[in-house]
Amino acid sequence: MAGGEDFVVTAHLTAEQRADLRAELERQLARLQRSMSVTDEAMRTVELDQTAVGRLSRMDSLQNQSLSKGLRERELVRLSLIREALQRMESGSYGLCTVCGADVPIERLFVFPEASECSDCVR
Ligand SMILES: [Zn+2]
């Protein structure tokens, strides 16, 4: 008996560590949502520009738009990783590798709190 602790699926994390990681995920989610609204703004601005400006700046705008699109795609990927991590937190499977079921090492979780795979399974 290790004693004291309530039963949790992710037994290698203490309640305190999970609380820290959850707080970190929520901070990252908030930060990401702020940066996504900036990206929204950038993409909207480009649409307005395209109707009103000359050829050269239109090409600039298109270039900026494709940068914004690439950024938006990365943001969406990250958003779903963070949301999934928070869901695993709710369901009690947080910290377990979704591929092999092993404990994801805590050092890895503190660097990538959204990590869903252990270092062996990560692609
Ligand atoms: Zn694994």
Side-chain angles (χ1 to χ4, degrees):
M1 280 288 281
E5 280 221 66
D6 290 338
F7 174 78
V8 284
V9 183
T10 48
H12 71 304
L13 296 177
T14 67
E16 199 185 359
Q17 287 168 333
R18 263 177 307 145
D20 283 352
L21 288 163
R22 179 195 287 265
E24 179 58 25
L25 281 167
E26 281 164 358
R27 253 196 310 277
Q28 292 195 9
L29 184 63
R31 203 183 308 148
L32 181 62
Q33 282 167 339
R34 273 197 304 277
S35 103
M36 289 180 82
S37 68
V38 174
T39 310
D40 274 346
E41 198 59 46
M43 291 172 84
R44 232 192 335 269
T45 308
V46 165
E47 280 163 29
L48 291 178
D49 281 355
Q50 279 181 35
T51 61
V53 294
R55 194 191 175 101
L56 267 182
S57 42
R58 187 149 56 221
M59 286 175 72
D60 277 350
S61 294
L62 285 172
Q63 207 161 29
N64 285 340
Q65 190 176 40
S66 80
L67 287 177
S68 299
K69 273 188 181 162
L71 178 62
R72 166 49 43 98
E73 276 160 27
R74 288 194 299 279
E75 286 170 341
L76 285 174
V77 167
R78 199 162 152 66
L79 183 69
S80 75
L81 286 175
I82 294 176
R83 286 201 167 135
E84 282 165 21
L86 284 164
Q87 273 164 17
R88 290 195 305 277
M89 197 74 90
E90 293 301 322
S91 68
S93 63
Y94 180 79
L96 296 177
C97 176
T98 54
V99 179
C100 72
D103 292 347
V104 180
I106 185 138
E107 307 77 47
R108 178 164 160 73
L109 290 173
F110 274 109
V111 181
F112 305 109
E114 74 279 21
S116 62
E117 289 126 355
C118 70
S119 353
D120 290 337
C121 294
V122 75
R123 285 146 299 182

